[in-house]
Amino acid sequence: MPAEPAPSHPPHVLSLAAKDATNTLNKAVPVNDDYLEDIRYNDASIPIHFCMDYFDTLIGHEINIHWHTDFEFAFMLKGACDYHLHGTSNTIRLQQGDGIFVNSKMLHSADHPTPGAVMSCLTVSPLFFSGQPAGTIYLDQVLPVSSKPFAGLRLTTERDAAMLREIRALTAVGQHDPMRALDYMTHMATLWKELLRTLSTRDIPEAPSVEQRREQRMRVMLVFIQQHYGELIDLNDIAASASVSRTECYRLFKTHTGSSPVDYLLSYRLSQAAAKLVSDDDSIAHVARICGFANASYFGKRFREHFALSPGIYRKQYGDRDSSDSSAVR
């Protein structure tokens, strides 16, 4: 994902540039070959990253399943959505004003937004505090959190007002403010103290080791689909990639994505096709073929069912839109 600067406006007020960005079709969260989001900091010396998710403009109106080594703090600026931690079995309905903390290396996704839903996200590297003397803050206060086998927790306005206030303060730091590094450090330290206090006082269930192994297998199968979706693969191939049975493969996909492996593969192919339609000039038949559809008419039928538009109309509607100012969005 390209680097996106922190907005200089208050997080509850959308800037004109951000509003203009809603007129563009955002891509799904860009990930590398193992579904790890490629987070690039605007300033490598300050490993903190900001973005805005306008669900109406996301392909499929969802944040696709992904993970990153960074911690994530997010809150709903407008509307609501379903946020999935550790699979659809742990689904949290985020309402306007609510937030979420996602632990390092945990699969997560979001979908079923209300119309016009907007989420503000910040990710911060576990190494943010590692520059302290002898790295004691990192070793004593940060590493134990990233090593703890829990996916994350919901932040509500009633219970977690202090944490949400610091998240908003972080997103409001001006990109060009000469004091921004000190501001980031000040607010991040307060936010982290509140998180540690919450973790010490709230009963947060940890994932058993068997579930951790299952999530790892799920990552392997997601990687396989990402690398081979353009080929003629099926349920047997997906299951074999992680050395699991067809039954276990089906169970894992239902748990983590809410879909069967075959349905997820179809959805992934369609999302990739949609992205190519608006970014490339290749023929629709060629896009269908390289995205794993042997039959162009079948591709068209499935595409219309999924996006409620034909591939040609979809390309015309979204392909000509200007994305000159997308710095505040994924």
Side-chain angles (χ1 to χ4, degrees), residues 135-193:
T136 54
I137 295 180
Y138 171 73
L139 293 174
D140 297 339
Q141 311 295 342
V142 179
L143 188 59
V145 176
S146 63
S147 302
K148 198 176 180 67
F150 80 101
L153 67 156
R154 180 183 182 181
L155 309 175
T156 66
T157 53
E158 298 82 7
R159 183 181 55 197
D160 306 294
M163 291 181 66
L164 291 169
R165 183 171 58 250
E166 293 304 320
I167 294 171
R168 290 185 174 93
L170 279 161
T171 62
V173 174
Q175 178 194 359
H176 302 296
D177 187 338
M179 298 293 184
R180 70 184 185 283
L182 291 175
D183 287 337
Y184 287 148
M185 185 63 70
T186 299
H187 292 298
M188 195 66 234
T190 303
L191 174 59
W192 200 257
K193 283 174 63 179

Side-chain angles (χ1 to χ4, degrees), residues 156-228:
T156 66
T157 53
E158 298 82 7
R159 183 181 55 197
D160 306 294
M163 291 181 66
L164 291 169
R165 183 171 58 250
E166 293 304 320
I167 294 171
R168 290 185 174 93
L170 279 161
T171 62
V173 174
Q175 178 194 359
H176 302 296
D177 187 338
M179 298 293 184
R180 70 184 185 283
L182 291 175
D183 287 337
Y184 287 148
M185 185 63 70
T186 299
H187 292 298
M188 195 66 234
T190 303
L191 174 59
W192 200 257
K193 283 174 63 179
E194 289 295 330
L195 175 65
L196 293 176
R197 184 189 61 78
T198 298
L199 294 178
S200 67
T201 58
R202 197 180 303 178
D203 184 21
I204 302 172
E206 298 183 358
S209 57
V210 63
E211 287 302 321
Q212 296 177 55
R213 290 194 295 271
R214 285 171 176 165
E215 179 163 319
Q216 177 58 36
R217 291 167 183 156
M218 183 66 194
R219 289 183 187 177
V220 170
M221 291 187 288
L222 289 172
V223 170
F224 179 79
I225 288 177
Q226 180 173 337
Q227 294 177 340
H228 300 281

Side-chain angles (χ1 to χ4, degrees), residues 70-84:
D70 287 34
F71 302 108
E72 179 169 320
F73 295 91
F75 65 94
M76 293 300 300
L77 284 172
K78 182 180 178 182
C81 75
D82 284 345
Y83 206 100
H84 307 292

Side-chain angles (χ1 to χ4, degrees), residues 2-259:
E4 296 139 357
S8 58
H9 53 281
H12 59 281
V13 178
L14 302 185
S15 68
L16 291 176
K19 289 179 180 178
D20 289 342
T22 64
N23 291 326
T24 67
L25 179 71
N26 293 333
K27 303 294 187 293
V29 178
V31 293
N32 64 19
D33 287 345
D34 58 1
Y35 276 71
L36 171 66
E37 183 179 356
D38 184 16
I39 297 174
R40 300 178 183 177
Y41 308 111
N42 201 44
D43 184 341
S45 67
I46 309 175
I48 190 168
H49 176 83
F50 302 88
C51 69
M52 298 279 282
D53 291 308
Y54 299 88
F55 282 88
D56 283 355
T57 67
L58 293 171
I59 292 177
H61 305 305
E62 64 181 5
I63 299 173
N64 53 297
I65 190 168
H66 66 288
W67 65 282
H68 35 69
T69 57
D70 287 34
F71 302 108
E72 179 169 320
F73 295 91
F75 65 94
M76 293 300 300
L77 284 172
K78 182 180 178 182
C81 75
D82 284 345
Y83 206 100
H84 307 292
L85 291 172
H86 235 19
T88 55
S89 60
N90 189 1
T91 298
I92 300 168
R93 186 65 178 176
L94 293 182
Q95 302 291 343
Q96 183 169 322
D98 287 346
I100 192 85
F101 167 71
V102 183
N103 203 358
S104 174
K105 301 179 183 179
M106 294 296 171
L107 285 170
H108 54 283
S109 60
D111 53 24
H112 297 122
T114 56
V118 182
M119 176 184 286
S120 177
C121 301
L122 75 87
T123 55
V124 58
S125 170
L127 299 177
F128 184 86
F129 294 110
S130 63
Q132 301 301 311
T136 54
I137 295 180
Y138 171 73
L139 293 174
D140 297 339
Q141 311 295 342
V142 179
L143 188 59
V145 176
S146 63
S147 302
K148 198 176 180 67
F150 80 101
L153 67 156
R154 180 183 182 181
L155 309 175
T156 66
T157 53
E158 298 82 7
R159 183 181 55 197
D160 306 294
M163 291 181 66
L164 291 169
R165 183 171 58 250
E166 293 304 320
I167 294 171
R168 290 185 174 93
L170 279 161
T171 62
V173 174
Q175 178 194 359
H176 302 296
D177 187 338
M179 298 293 184
R180 70 184 185 283
L182 291 175
D183 287 337
Y184 287 148
M185 185 63 70
T186 299
H187 292 298
M188 195 66 234
T190 303
L191 174 59
W192 200 257
K193 283 174 63 179
E194 289 295 330
L195 175 65
L196 293 176
R197 184 189 61 78
T198 298
L199 294 178
S200 67
T201 58
R202 197 180 303 178
D203 184 21
I204 302 172
E206 298 183 358
S209 57
V210 63
E211 287 302 321
Q212 296 177 55
R213 290 194 295 271
R214 285 171 176 165
E215 179 163 319
Q216 177 58 36
R217 291 167 183 156
M218 183 66 194
R219 289 183 187 177
V220 170
M221 291 187 288
L222 289 172
V223 170
F224 179 79
I225 288 177
Q226 180 173 337
Q227 294 177 340
H228 300 281
Y229 72 92
E231 304 169 18
L232 296 178
I233 59 174
D234 57 19
L235 173 60
N236 291 326
D237 299 315
I238 297 170
S241 69
S243 300
V244 299
S245 67
R246 289 163 53 100
T247 301
E248 177 68 357
C249 175
Y250 183 89
R251 191 193 74 81
L252 287 172
F253 269 85
K254 291 295 287 186
T255 296
H256 287 278
T257 71
S259 302

